[in-house]
Amino acid sequence: MRVAVLDDGSPLGSGTVEQLQNHGFDAAVVFNPPGFDFVTQADLADKLAGCSVVIDLSGPPSLGDGTLTEEYGLVIDEESLLSRIRHSASMLLTAEAAVGVHHHVALSVVGVDRMGTEGAFRALRWKEQMVARSGVPYSIIRSTQVFETVDDVAEAATEDWIVWLPPVRTRPVAGEEVATLLAHTAAFSPLQRVKEIAGPEQFRLDTFVRQALTAEHEHRQVFTDWRSTFFGSRVRRDDLLPGPDAYIAQRLYGEWLIDRMGERHRTS
């Protein structure tokens, strides 16, 4: 079975491909430029030819969803982002239908159903709905904040060298465990529903970022403010927490931070 993993070259993409290959699948990353701005419908269909499954990793909000400013952190043009997401999702799903893809696996974010009225989560909610209505059999994997995104979360929330975050609760998860679940999902029949994955520990979003900055001996300070947004969305205390049926991963955040620092020392 051939599997295409749409990604921009992130560790999550390569990790998902590695997991699939370890289980005997013919898998490869298909580079996914933002919005498919330089890809025609025919080119995209050609890239997906022969694929039984497509895993789309372009869901979670990122720094590419807006413009970073020193004064206000990440500023998101919601209408522009929504238009781009609609365009790219439509192109991808149409191409999949044309070449006979029988399973679309979409990566999304825990809480999008609760925060999907503004910011990056509004566009992501639209994307989920397009996937569900496309006619291509699907599975949607909603993840909590991935460990590897902590730097982007900090950058998006930095205003005048201070990181402002709402004191909401979360259960961040290791990217390698998200990759394993994505590969496992791709190997079986489409769920036709949403499945969630979360980490084993619960703590506040500001703690998630503060621990990483402390480990890096960063000079930025983290402060909490309920008025602060998360990638353009206002967040209530439990909006980022998974439901009771979520798959709970095992990797601890503190262990991951130690491993990351060790890796950086070895390569420096």
Side-chain angles (χ1 to χ4, degrees), residues 203-229:
F203 36 74
R204 293 193 333 195
L205 185 64
D206 54 300
T207 302
F208 172 55
V209 172
R210 187 179 292 109
Q211 288 186 9
L213 297 185
T214 299
E216 294 280 357
H217 304 290
E218 259 263 22
H219 61 277
R220 283 179 294 175
Q221 296 294 309
V222 179
F223 290 92
T224 60
D225 188 338
W226 279 110
R227 295 170 296 180
S228 298
T229 60

Side-chain angles (χ1 to χ4, degrees), residues 20-245:
L20 288 163
Q21 291 174 340
N22 288 343
H23 287 82
F25 296 109
D26 176 11
V29 170
V30 174
F31 181 67
N32 176 25
F36 297 117
D37 291 336
F38 305 105
V39 180
T40 67
Q41 189 76 61
D43 287 339
L44 186 56
D46 185 60
K47 291 176 182 292
L48 301 182
C51 290
S52 299
V53 182
V54 169
I55 302 177
D56 182 12
L57 302 182
S58 64
S62 69
L63 298 180
D65 290 334
T67 302
L68 274 178
T69 68
E70 291 186 3
E71 297 84 4
Y72 305 107
L74 186 68
V75 177
I76 295 176
D77 182 338
E78 287 190 31
E79 295 307 319
S80 176
L81 176 60
L82 183 59
S83 176
R84 175 163 62 83
I85 293 296
R86 282 174 169 170
H87 171 68
S88 60
S90 177
M91 282 191 66
L92 176 59
L93 293 165
T94 299
E96 288 179 10
V99 301
V101 168
H102 64 67
H103 190 180
H104 177 98
V105 182
L107 180 62
S108 190
V109 180
V110 166
V112 70
D113 51 331
R114 299 184 287 269
M115 305 189 304
T117 60
E118 58 184 0
F121 288 86
R122 178 185 173 202
L124 187 53
R125 182 60 173 158
W126 266 98
K127 184 173 183 177
E128 283 194 7
Q129 292 173 347
M130 292 178 71
V131 168
R133 296 169 182 170
S134 69
V136 178
Y138 72 93
S139 302
I140 295 174
I141 302 299
R142 288 184 186 158
S143 169
T144 52
Q145 284 59 61
V146 176
F147 293 167
E148 288 81 356
T149 67
V150 66
D151 295 330
D152 282 0
V153 173
E155 286 292 325
T158 298
E159 302 175 18
D160 290 328
W161 300 102
I162 294 176
V163 184
W164 293 98
L165 290 165
V168 297
R169 301 192 293 179
T170 184
R171 295 183 66 155
V173 63
E176 63 194 80
E177 297 193 82
V178 176
T180 298
L181 180 59
L182 288 165
H184 180 84
T185 302
F188 290 89
S189 299
L191 299 173
Q192 295 295 111
R193 60 179 178 86
V194 171
K195 184 177 182 65
E196 295 183 329
I197 179 172
E201 304 166 288
Q202 177 178 290
F203 36 74
R204 293 193 333 195
L205 185 64
D206 54 300
T207 302
F208 172 55
V209 172
R210 187 179 292 109
Q211 288 186 9
L213 297 185
T214 299
E216 294 280 357
H217 304 290
E218 259 263 22
H219 61 277
R220 283 179 294 175
Q221 296 294 309
V222 179
F223 290 92
T224 60
D225 188 338
W226 279 110
R227 295 170 296 180
S228 298
T229 60
F230 183 60
F231 286 95
S233 293
R234 287 182 290 270
V235 191
R236 295 166 298 187
R237 188 182 70 163
D238 294 338
D239 279 350
L240 299 181
L241 291 179
D245 296 328

